[in-house]
Amino acid sequence: MNRIGKSAVQIAILCGLSVLSNFLVAQFSLPLPGSVVGIVLLFGLLQLGVLRLEWIESGANLLLAELLLFFIPSAVGVVQYRSLLLDHGIALLIVVVAGRVVIMAGSGLLATQLAWMRRKS
């Protein structure tokens, strides 16, 4: 199978997991977004060996490479809420900046901890 076909099949697998996770959230009234359930489901399937990384790797890499395209609808949607931005723009900006700082600090601490654990073993 050529590279494009292989990536298309892998993206279809990932989309199928997304649909399944959204279905599970709806069926069981879970208090989590479908995307979070999907990530947990994907992680579990990979850890159990039910799904192998090679089966989704190139499709996932393609999606990650084009990740910026997925934010265009959100950016366009923001334009529709000009009054909200004018009224609460500073508060939204503070939340976004604070969220980024927390995520970067958490990622840095986690990476440091993992590196320390790897050196220790």
Side-chain angles (χ1 to χ4, degrees):
M1 182 181 295
N2 65 13
R3 198 176 105 209
I4 294 173
K6 183 178 177 183
S7 293
V9 169
Q10 292 179 0
I11 290 171
I13 292 170
L14 292 170
C15 288
L17 281 172
S18 177
V19 169
L20 175 63
S21 64
N22 287 327
F23 174 76
L24 292 173
V25 166
Q27 282 298 112
F28 297 108
S29 300
L30 298 174
L32 295 170
S35 57
V36 172
V37 173
I39 291 293
V40 171
L41 180 63
L42 178 61
F43 179 74
L45 291 173
L46 287 168
Q47 288 300 310
L48 293 172
V50 174
L51 188 65
R52 295 180 58 198
L53 182 60
E54 298 83 35
W55 296 351
I56 59 167
E57 189 171 22
S58 66
N61 286 336
L62 179 64
L63 290 174
L64 285 173
E66 304 302 330
L67 189 61
L68 186 58
L69 293 175
F70 296 114
F71 289 101
I72 291 173
S74 300
V76 171
V78 168
V79 174
Q80 295 177 347
Y81 298 100
R82 184 172 185 222
S83 62
L84 177 70
L85 288 176
L86 291 173
D87 294 341
H88 304 288
I90 299 298
L92 291 170
L93 183 63
I94 290 170
V95 168
V96 168
V97 169
R100 282 191 173 192
V101 168
V102 168
I103 289 170
M104 288 190 309
S107 298
L109 290 171
L110 179 63
T112 302
Q113 185 69 23
L114 290 173
W116 180 78
M117 289 171 58
R118 183 173 283 173
R119 276 183 282 168
K120 191 175 180 179
S121 61

